[in-house]
Amino acid sequence: MMCVDKSNVLQSYAFFREIFDETAARHPHLRADHCYVDAMALNLVAKPWSYDVMVTENMFGDILSDLGAALIGGMGIAPSADIGSGHALFQPCHGSAPDIIGTGRANPTAMILSAAMLLDWLGETRRVPSCVAAAAACARRSSRRSRADSSSRSSSGATRARRASPRGPPLAGGQRRAGTGERRGSG
């Protein structure tokens, strides 16, 4: 996990980093590191596959998650998870897009991948193997949908970008995760 802050500029981020380090010390099985937010923005563009969990405050999280979504083809295919110690919220990164209602242009990929992450989380935290299997099935369906969209003659710019984008880190069962690379982060 990576602590993303700007502790070289603001004292409040030095406090944030201190809390991160104290928490990380209680989990020695996890690799913990630090990165300033400007360097992380560069790193995400250069090698997004290198990151899985980033711990940051809301403003930097919003900025970096939008950057990550752009790297994979746009907000329409980026899932999101806000996970606490006992509860979680899963949703697409994008809003409701009222300007395209009824046009047939909405892409359900982000919603499907958010549901897959929910099922994966339920399977892991509640020990329900059928949820993990359902998560893998959702990810496969979404992947097939994305490939079908990519082969369409009327490919949008987002679809073309998605086709050219690097793939995210692996999920359980060998599936690939689309999105920001943040499995347990906030956007």
Side-chain angles (χ1 to χ4, degrees), residues 113-131:
L113 291 172
S114 295
M117 288 185 350
L118 165 67
L119 290 168
D120 191 46
W121 179 80
L122 284 170
E124 288 179 13
T125 61
R126 304 300 191 260
R127 309 232 189 280
V128 182
S130 60
C131 286

Side-chain angles (χ1 to χ4, degrees), residues 43 55 57 61 71 87 108 149 169 173:
N43 292 340
V55 178
E57 51 76 52
L71 290 172
H87 301 283
D149 286 349

Side-chain angles (χ1 to χ4, degrees), residues 2 7 11 29 33-34 36 39 42-43 60 64 89 93 95 98 105 109 117 137 139 145 151 163 166 179-180:
M2 180 72 65
S7 60
Q11 190 63 33
H29 60 286
D33 207 347
H34 307 94
Y36 297 134
L42 173 81
N43 292 340
F60 292 160
L64 294 175
L89 170 75
C93 283
R105 296 181 359 210
T109 303
M117 288 185 350
R145 163 98 184 178
S151 64
R163 225 182 356 224
T180 63

Side-chain angles (χ1 to χ4, degrees), residues 78-82 89-93 110 113-114 117 182-183 185-187:
S80 172
D82 298 308
L89 170 75
F90 299 85
Q91 63 186 346
C93 283
L113 291 172
S114 295
M117 288 185 350
E182 296 179 51
R183 178 141 179 266
S186 169

